[in-house]
Amino acid sequence: MITMKSLGLADAGLVIQAGIDHANKIGSPSTIAVVDAGGTVIAQARMDGASLSSVVLAYDKAYTSLSCRLATSEITKIAQPGGDFYGIANGLGGRAIIFPGGIPIRVGGQVIGAVGASGGNGAQDEEVARAAAAGFFC
């Protein structure tokens, strides 16, 4: 039998709020999605003014980050021609996202979930996602 740790709803609430707070601070209306260790969305919030496309992108960023156990900004680098992850953009059933903004959440080296942020440019999404993930540890 395998026992897995996973984010819960209360944890996801902390992550979402930290992401919203940071997105407000930098003026980037965003959607923030949190997935558990199995890749299922446990919480998602779309801020007023966030684009409609940000809803799916935030979820898929979180899912990609969880699936690969890497930040999507790192996947971007290794998904280029000749890279170890070249071709992943066509993977995960079409859900793989290689834009910045997906961050795995780890406890004791184990990935227990992930967060995705979308709505700004790549740097803003990455910043919001990192701030959101840090909210779990506050």
Side-chain angles (χ1 to χ4, degrees):
M1 176 185 299
I2 297 174
T3 302
M4 291 180 56
K5 292 182 181 179
S6 185
L7 290 174
L9 182 57
D11 304 321
L14 296 172
V15 172
I16 295 274
Q17 191 57 57
I20 289 171
D21 290 347
H22 195 75
N24 279 326
K25 180 180 172 184
I26 66 170
S28 179
S30 302
T31 296
I32 299 140
V34 179
V35 297
D36 64 15
T40 300
V41 171
I42 50 177
Q44 185 168 23
R46 179 177 165 262
M47 296 172 64
D48 294 343
S51 67
L52 294 177
S53 63
S54 69
V55 174
V56 173
L57 289 171
Y59 175 31
D60 286 349
K61 288 178 184 185
Y63 184 82
T64 301
S65 182
L66 174 83
S67 297
C68 297
R69 299 182 185 142
L70 294 169
T72 55
S73 60
E74 292 301 313
I75 297 169
T76 300
K77 298 171 190 172
I78 59 177
Q80 302 306 313
D84 289 341
F85 274 46
Y86 181 64
I88 189 143
N90 298 317
L92 300 177
R95 296 180 56 194
I97 300 292
I98 60 171
F99 313 142
I103 304 292
I105 298 174
R106 290 182 166 80
V107 171
Q110 180 180 354
V111 176
I112 61 165
V115 60
S118 184
N121 61 37
Q124 290 170 321
D125 289 353
E126 182 78 4
E127 195 175 322
V128 169
R130 287 192 181 276
F136 173 72
F137 299 101
C138 292

